[in-house]
Amino acid sequence: MSALFFQYLMAGLTYGMIYAVVGMGFNIIYNATGVINFAQGEFVMLGGMIAVSLVKILPLPLAILLAVLATMVVGALVELVFIRWLSSPSVLRMIIITVGISILIREAALLIWGQNVRALPYFTGSEITSLSIGGARMSPQVLWTLGACSALVALTTAFFRWSSTGKQMRACASNRVAASLCGLPTRNLVTASFILSAGMGALAGCVVSPITYTQYNIGTGLAMKGFTVAILGGLGSSLAAVAAGLVLGVLEAFAVSVMPSAYKDAVSITLLLAILFLRPTGLFAARVAYRP
Amino acid sequence: MLTVRTLDVAYGAVTVLRGVSLHVKEGEVVAIVGANGAGKTTLLKAITGLVRPRRGDVRLRGESILEVGTARIVARGCSLVPEGRQIFGDLSVRDNLLLGAHVQYRRGKAAEVRADLERILGMFPILGKRSGQLGGTLSGGEQQMLAIGRALMARPTLLMLDEPSMGLAPLVVKEIFNVISTISLAGCTVLLVEQNARGALKIAHRGYVLETGRIVLEGSAEDLLASREMQRAYLGRDVNLETARVTT
């Protein structure tokens, strides 16, 4: 029983970390622009798909690195082409723009890669390799995913807390007018937030693809989960999104043990609706998710 | 140092400033006084490029800064302490100040920034005591000092302040005005926008009176303080309030 429990828990944590990274991506862009970027899931898809294409001609680590960099370029282009020139867009307009971008990227991916389901090779071992931890059997890729995502969360947190650019991005998020009055290049900082967010999504997309596989249309589902997580934690708060991501992942994993797995996605939607009705500022919110 | 020529600013169909012209000479303290809604804040926003004027020109040391953009205007030595302080609430006092020094870092003067930080913390000892605290936890007066300190970290040659006395206790107001005088004595040109006409004109060399988007009076600070027009409109009417706010 406890082995089974552990099995579900690890599966939940693995998915939870992915949701957390996507949720953090939402938060980074939300903080910089006040807008939910619904193309966030597409960055995860792009990371995985580009890496799968590159791994045929390059060693795995290099393929992943290039895929992440390429997705960062896409993130920068999204901001430069679609967002930057809007002088004071309404939130609704920005949301519709990001939804449009996500459709654009998805259809482009369909044209480039077709409908085939793809995956990167396992980083260590193969599909049949398994480790035994606490009686539960799992693929080493689970540990890769957990490790890479944890490192990503830690690095991003450190970046915002201690680096000079990170502090500038926080200042820009906290008060854009005051940031420009300090002489900070606010528009470039917004571009930086898109680049960072795209890179995070892409790396998550790479490490998880051996387990979950990737396809041109996985972005929408991931965006939904990431959005749920960002709302659940309280918009704008990155570490709360991580906690919320793990909660959602584990809930989904255990839900599969008591109801048909087809209802797995219903868990996150129900949770999203419940949180929007009951506690729209999020589970851990100290401050109200509101921007003047 | 600063010349504003026939400036018109409108928000949509509402015209806020009509043909405003003024100038600030090097080393001066110039006060712009006027009631709520006269367009004082809009004037400063237009100078710093935060709103785009419909007509007119703003020149800093002879060069037009209309199309320059806020961040570059700051880099050229013109800083604004905005209305309502606008400090970064979830960053520490120290980080707030260091972010203000961004243009100094860009000029390659990191060593000076360290000295400036010590100087500002010496100028406002309370900020030194609270340097690790989050900006949002400071009191209103402390936040105002932080906002002024942050603007000074950019080493401006022209410092503009928007209602620095707003919402502060009389003693704190006095302290803020003293600080502004000190900044001016240190060689920085000051453009001060205030509702507190008496307090502002007392430390200013010259002043302008803004009324519903137009400059209706200008002159030396002593003349304005003594003028009958001023007494009636700004000093007399609020005489009780004014004396309560500035205990001199």
Side-chain angles (χ1 to χ4, degrees):
Chain A
M1 181 60 204
S2 83
L4 192 62
F5 176 85
F6 200 63
Q7 189 90 49
Y8 281 125
L9 185 67
M10 288 307 281
L13 290 179
T14 308
Y15 278 91
M17 278 317 277
I18 297 296
Y19 300 160
V21 170
V22 181
M24 266 179 103
F26 269 112
N27 280 333
I28 290 169
I29 290 181
Y30 175 81
N31 278 337
T33 62
V35 155
I36 307 285
N37 169 33
F38 282 98
Q40 192 61 38
E42 264 54 49
F43 293 150
V44 183
M45 179 272 292
L46 276 181
M49 295 298 263
I50 296 174
V52 170
S53 295
L54 288 177
V55 82
K56 289 171 193 151
I57 46 170
L58 292 169
L60 184 64
L62 202 57
I64 291 176
L65 180 70
L66 283 180
V68 170
L69 290 178
T71 312
M72 286 167 123
V73 171
V74 173
L77 284 177
V78 163
E79 201 278 334
L80 292 175
V81 175
F82 296 102
I83 311 284
R84 179 175 280 240
W85 56 274
L86 304 165
S87 55
S88 54
S90 69
V91 168
L92 183 64
R93 190 164 157 211
M94 294 270 269
I95 286 175
I96 291 171
I97 288 174
T98 65
V99 170
I101 294 167
S102 95
I103 295 172
L104 196 68
I105 296 179
R106 199 180 322 139
E107 295 305 312
L110 178 61
L111 266 174
I112 298 169
W113 289 292
Q115 292 189 351
N116 296 348
V117 177
R118 292 146 196 265
L120 279 178
Y122 280 67
F123 291 10
T124 44
S126 65
E127 289 101 282
I128 46 166
T129 325
S130 72
L131 298 169
S132 177
I133 300 171
R137 305 200 67 79
M138 64 196 72
S139 155
Q141 193 65 30
V142 166
L143 297 184
W144 272 107
T145 307
L146 285 175
C149 290
S150 310
L152 201 53
V153 167
L155 279 176
T156 313
T157 309
F159 169 76
F160 278 111
R161 191 158 295 171
W162 288 300
S163 82
S164 153
T165 311
K167 282 179 187 170
Q168 289 178 21
M169 286 169 78
R170 274 165 65 205
C172 184
S174 157
N175 191 327
R176 196 142 162 203
V177 169
S180 67
L181 285 174
C182 284
L184 299 180
T186 46
R187 295 197 168 209
N188 294 348
L189 291 171
V190 169
T191 314
S193 73
F194 272 82
I195 294 175
L196 182 63
S197 183
M200 287 180 70
L203 187 61
C206 290
V207 292
V208 80
S209 87
I211 312 177
T212 62
Y213 303 112
T214 184
Q215 203 184 353
Y216 78 99
N217 63 0
I218 61 157
T220 321
L222 278 171
M224 195 65 222
K225 297 288 165 61
F227 179 61
T228 307
V229 161
I231 297 282
L232 193 62
L235 265 179
S237 157
S238 284
L239 284 179
V242 175
L246 296 178
V247 167
L248 179 64
V250 170
L251 267 181
E252 276 189 359
F254 282 101
V256 175
S257 69
V258 291
M259 57 172 132
S261 62
Y263 289 114
K264 189 177 150 193
D265 287 343
V267 174
S268 69
I269 307 280
T270 312
L271 205 58
L272 177 61
L273 285 177
I275 204 82
L276 284 175
F277 278 124
L278 301 175
R279 213 180 143 79
T281 56
L283 284 182
F284 313 103
R287 60 198 168 124
V288 179
Y290 162 78
R291 289 171 64 93
Chain B
M1 161 101 23
L2 180 78
T3 320
V4 176
R5 227 172 258 149
T6 56
L7 202 67
D8 281 12
V9 178
Y11 295 124
V14 185
T15 307
V16 184
L17 293 179
R18 296 161 207 269
V20 171
S21 295
L22 58 89
H23 67 276
V24 182
K25 282 182 277 193
E26 191 139 8
E28 270 189 322
V29 177
V30 172
I32 298 173
V33 299
N36 247 341
K40 306 187 297 293
T41 297
T42 304
L43 174 60
L44 291 187
K45 282 188 173 169
I47 294 173
T48 45
L50 291 171
V51 297
R52 184 178 282 264
R54 182 163 288 183
R55 207 165 63 84
D57 198 8
V58 180
R59 287 174 176 271
L60 187 65
R61 278 183 225 94
E63 282 176 61
S64 177
I65 52 171
L66 272 189
E67 305 288 329
V68 166
T70 307
R72 290 219 178 83
I73 292 174
V74 177
R76 290 192 190 183
C78 170
S79 288
L80 169 66
V81 179
E83 186 180 20
R85 359 267 193 228
Q86 314 288 347
I87 55 150
F88 304 121
D90 42 12
L91 284 142
S92 74
V93 168
R94 191 188 184 78
D95 284 342
N96 265 276
L97 290 171
L98 288 176
L99 282 164
H102 179 73
V103 297
Q104 280 286 85
Y105 284 117
R106 292 291 297 271
R107 292 175 189 138
K109 297 193 170 161
E112 278 182 33
V113 170
R114 247 167 281 142
D116 283 352
L117 185 66
E118 293 312 312
R119 192 169 55 88
I120 303 283
L121 293 179
M123 196 167 164
F124 304 105
I126 190 75
L127 295 184
K129 249 183 251 171
R130 305 197 188 287
S131 67
Q133 235 169 283
L134 293 187
T137 62
L138 301 186
S139 74
E142 291 162 0
Q143 289 193 1
Q144 188 62 60
M145 290 172 198
L146 178 56
I148 296 175
R150 186 179 64 184
L152 287 176
M153 288 297 288
R155 280 281 184 108
T157 47
L158 170 64
L159 182 69
M160 305 192 289
L161 301 104
D162 194 353
E163 302 261 10
S165 78
M166 193 169 60
L168 301 180
L171 268 181
V172 184
V173 170
K174 204 174 165 188
E175 203 181 332
I176 297 279
F177 280 137
N178 281 340
V179 163
I180 296 169
S181 295
T182 314
I183 293 168
S184 157
L185 287 176
C188 185
T189 310
V190 175
L191 178 61
L192 173 63
V193 157
E194 263 296 337
Q195 270 191 72
N196 183 343
R198 189 184 297 267
L201 288 171
K202 276 203 169 137
I203 61 166
H205 300 113
R206 290 190 303 116
Y208 293 87
V209 179
L210 201 59
E211 213 170 83
T212 55
R214 292 174 202 276
I215 301 236
V216 292
L217 263 182
E218 60 175 288
S220 76
E222 299 90 67
D223 289 354
L224 283 179
L225 276 169
S227 90
R228 178 164 294 187
E229 185 74 1
M230 261 313 268
Q231 298 274 349
R232 179 192 61 74
Y234 297 98
L235 304 173
R237 191 182 61 191
D238 289 330
V239 76
N240 295 328
L241 183 70
E242 295 294 337
T243 41
R245 282 170 83 180
V246 191
T247 44
T248 42

